[in-house]
Amino acid sequence: MTAMPAHRHHWDPFEGSVTVMPSAPPRVRRPPFDSGLVQGILVIVAVIALFAAIGLHLFAGTAAALFAVGVFAASFLALFALVLLGDEEGWTRWLLVETARLNGWTPVALDPAGDIVRAGGVDALYDPRSNRARVELAPILRSRLGQMLPLVPTGFYYGAAPGGMPFWMGVEIINVILLAAPRVMRTDPFGNTRLAGRGINFVIGYRLARNTLIEAHLLAETLGDSRRDFDTESIAFNAAFRVTLTGDTAQSRTRLLQVLTPAFMEKLLELERRYRIQVMVRGRHVFLRGYALVNLRDPHLTAPLFAKIVADLAAGAEGFKHYAE
């Protein structure tokens, strides 16, 4: 494996130009095996055994209930052992670094032994840049009715999208077990069907070539939001997004509505259907937060899918600069 350079210079949406020390592969090893699927089976067995113990205690006596309790305890201990032996945290960090290496990006994996701090309403590992991101991007990172899954980044990527547009990406990689799910839920947006995979919770910031002169949030629509935002000509778009502007003046509303052409709104709706996106526009910086299921664990297979996510959302971000041009 080729060693990464000691330092790299990148665009950062919060600090401008930064010097980044990439997370090195020797410090983020590949674990001996991936125990995610086995962990999922043990969790299901433990849950069934727990409810069985309660039912057996009520209707079949103590002896049968004790057997179910034993199954529950054995499953729990086996799960604990797999978490330690499988080094799931190490696997995730290794995947983060390998995906970056294969895509030519710079990875920054947060130290899991670091201090825990509260920023943006959530407890998370301390990192100056990530804490700033959680505070400044809180409207699209925190949980809300339209987007129940909050984002707490455990690593970052710096790189360039197709066409050379620089990007910064905060990512949280989550184990997903889909043993009891129907096939439609076990199939990711890229057509892969598996019983286990990775949930990629992410936010990507792009730097546009021109200032959009727009400061806006496009958040997942929830009950009652329609009374507090303004409507576009698209009923589907209004149902999907709550649109708000900073300093809601007639001029800023006009700028945004000129950008939101029918074709661009359909593009954003397509991204919302695929990635459940929310958007924050801050002048020449556009942030898109979303989620994707990737039912693959080999980084040689997942790296192109990560790159596709970056490319898909870059096309969405660029749509906001048309009015500025």
Side-chain angles (χ1 to χ4, degrees):
M1 184 184 296
T2 304
M4 293 187 178
H7 293 87
R8 294 180 180 178
H9 301 283
H10 289 284
W11 166 76
D12 182 274
F14 310 104
E15 299 182 22
S17 178
V18 296
T19 300
V20 179
M21 173 72 76
S23 294
R27 296 196 307 111
V28 187
R29 66 177 177 83
R30 178 175 182 173
F33 62 93
D34 185 356
S35 61
L37 183 58
V38 180
Q39 289 179 36
I41 294 173
L42 288 173
V43 168
I44 292 175
V45 171
V47 171
I48 293 174
L50 179 61
F51 282 101
I54 296 173
L56 290 171
H57 177 69
L58 294 175
F59 302 107
T62 303
L66 287 176
F67 175 78
V69 169
V71 174
F72 169 78
S75 300
F76 184 82
L77 290 174
L79 178 63
F80 181 73
L82 277 177
V83 169
L84 293 179
L85 296 176
D87 190 12
E88 191 64 34
E89 189 173 84
W91 179 276
T92 300
R93 287 167 58 82
W94 175 77
L95 177 62
L96 181 81
V97 172
E98 277 294 284
T99 297
R101 185 182 69 83
L102 293 169
N103 281 326
W105 303 339
T106 297
V108 178
L110 300 190
D111 183 1
D115 295 331
I116 301 296
V117 297
R118 191 162 184 82
V122 296
D123 292 330
L125 290 167
Y126 174 75
D127 177 83
R129 282 193 278 270
S130 68
N131 289 348
R132 186 170 177 181
R134 284 192 294 271
V135 171
E136 296 193 22
L137 305 182
I140 59 174
L141 300 189
R142 64 192 175 207
S143 174
R144 65 194 312 268
L145 289 178
Q147 172 58 274
M148 297 299 294
L149 191 65
L151 171 55
V152 182
T154 55
F156 299 90
Y157 293 125
Y158 291 89
M165 183 167 59
F167 77 87
W168 162 95
M169 181 177 185
V171 62
E172 180 182 17
I173 302 176
I174 306 168
N175 289 323
V176 178
I177 307 298
L178 301 163
L179 295 178
R183 184 179 179 84
V184 66
M185 292 183 65
R186 289 188 281 111
T187 303
D188 66 24
F190 312 100
N192 304 299
T193 302
R194 299 287 190 281
L195 297 178
R198 301 283 184 175
I200 312 300
N201 202 8
F202 59 83
V203 58
I204 310 179
Y206 299 93
R207 184 183 65 184
L208 303 181
R210 296 176 182 270
N211 192 335
T212 65
L213 303 178
I214 296 171
E215 302 278 340
H217 299 164
L218 281 70
L219 304 179
E221 183 79 28
T222 65
L223 184 65
D225 277 348
S226 60
R227 297 192 298 271
R228 299 191 297 272
D229 60 3
F230 67 88
D231 290 337
T232 66
E233 296 179 355
S234 169
I235 296 175
F237 191 86
N238 297 336
F241 293 105
R242 174 194 176 190
V243 183
T244 59
L245 289 148
T246 303
D248 191 9
T249 65
Q251 185 179 27
S252 62
R253 290 170 65 90
T254 300
R255 288 195 189 108
L256 184 58
L257 288 172
Q258 287 178 317
V259 167
L260 294 176
T261 62
F264 184 43
M265 285 192 287
E266 182 54 40
K267 176 64 177 178
L268 292 176
L269 285 171
E270 177 187 341
L271 293 176
E272 194 278 334
R273 288 189 290 267
R274 173 168 287 192
Y275 301 120
R276 306 298 297 174
I277 65 163
Q278 298 187 99
V279 186
M280 177 184 289
V281 186
R282 298 169 54 178
R284 67 182 299 183
H285 298 164
V286 179
F287 299 90
L288 297 100
R289 179 266 168 95
Y291 174 85
L293 175 65
V294 177
N295 281 340
L296 298 169
R297 296 190 173 225
D298 184 342
H300 289 83
L301 301 176
T302 60
L305 304 186
F306 275 64
K308 178 172 173 52
I309 292 171
V310 169
D312 286 349
L313 270 65
E318 285 192 310
F320 287 97
K321 74 177 184 179
H322 291 167
Y323 174 72
E325 296 176 341

